[in-house]
């Protein structure tokens, strides 16, 4: 039994050595494929993070305003309700652009990652 196990280990070792010798010239393909795999694999965690920011954007509260409640809502930062609403609108607009750019980045990462993955492997 020990001789068979030793023989099996020797055969596996020689086959592994042969595979390494044959793949020696293709190291750059393995590197390209690995980079593509990382780019394609980062999509799913990034998807969750960007989706969380999108939900935050959709549920961001903009409170009703009157001259009586302006001091409570804005804590003295704005002179009128119109200033408060304009500030909130600008914030939501900028935040929505950031979320859009993040989605575009995920799309780009997926496309480039899949192309490199296909080319490398």
């Amino acid at each position: 039994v020990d001789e068979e196990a030793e023989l099996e280990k020797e055969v596996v070792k020689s086959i592994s050595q042969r595979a390494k010798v044959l793949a020696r010239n293709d190291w750059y393909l393995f590197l390209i494929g690995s980079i593509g795999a990382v780019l394609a694999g980062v999509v799913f965690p990034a998807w969750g993070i960007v989706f969380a920011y999108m939900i935050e954007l959709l549920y961001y509260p903009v409170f009703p305003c009157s001259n009586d409640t302006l001091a409570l809502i804005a804590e003295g930062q704005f002179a009128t309700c119109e200033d408060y609403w304009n500030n909130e609108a600008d914030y939501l607009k900028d935040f929505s652009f950031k979320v859009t750019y993040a989605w575009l980045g995920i799309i780009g990462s997926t496309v480039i990652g899949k192309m490199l993955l296909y080319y490398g492997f």
Side-chain angles (χ1 to χ4, degrees):
V1 174
D2 285 334
E3 287 182 25
E4 289 179 16
E6 279 295 317
L7 184 60
E8 184 71 28
K9 286 182 183 178
E10 290 291 325
V11 169
V12 169
K13 188 174 181 180
S14 67
I15 292 173
S16 295
Q17 285 295 95
R18 180 75 177 140
K20 287 179 185 177
V21 169
L22 290 174
R24 183 174 292 144
N25 295 331
D26 295 333
W27 65 269
Y28 66 93
L29 291 174
F30 292 126
L31 180 66
I32 290 171
S34 298
I35 292 170
V38 168
L39 286 175
V42 79
V43 168
F44 298 108
W47 182 285
I49 292 168
V50 174
F51 195 72
Y53 281 121
M54 190 175 71
I55 290 173
E56 179 184 342
L57 173 68
L58 292 173
Y59 286 99
Y60 185 81
V62 177
F63 300 107
C65 184
S66 68
N67 289 333
D68 299 333
T69 60
L70 181 62
L72 296 173
I73 296 171
E75 298 174 355
Q77 296 176 356
F78 305 107
T80 64
C81 289
E82 192 69 31
D83 292 339
Y84 166 70
W85 287 325
N86 287 336
N87 181 61
E88 295 299 303
D90 290 340
Y91 171 76
L92 289 173
K93 179 181 171 185
D94 292 340
F95 195 44
S96 68
F97 285 155
K98 290 177 184 176
V99 169
T100 302
Y101 297 145
W103 282 123
L104 292 175
I106 289 174
I107 292 169
S109 174
T110 303
V111 169
I112 292 170
K114 293 291 184 175
M115 286 180 3
L116 292 176
L117 188 64
Y118 180 74
Y119 179 75
F121 293 137

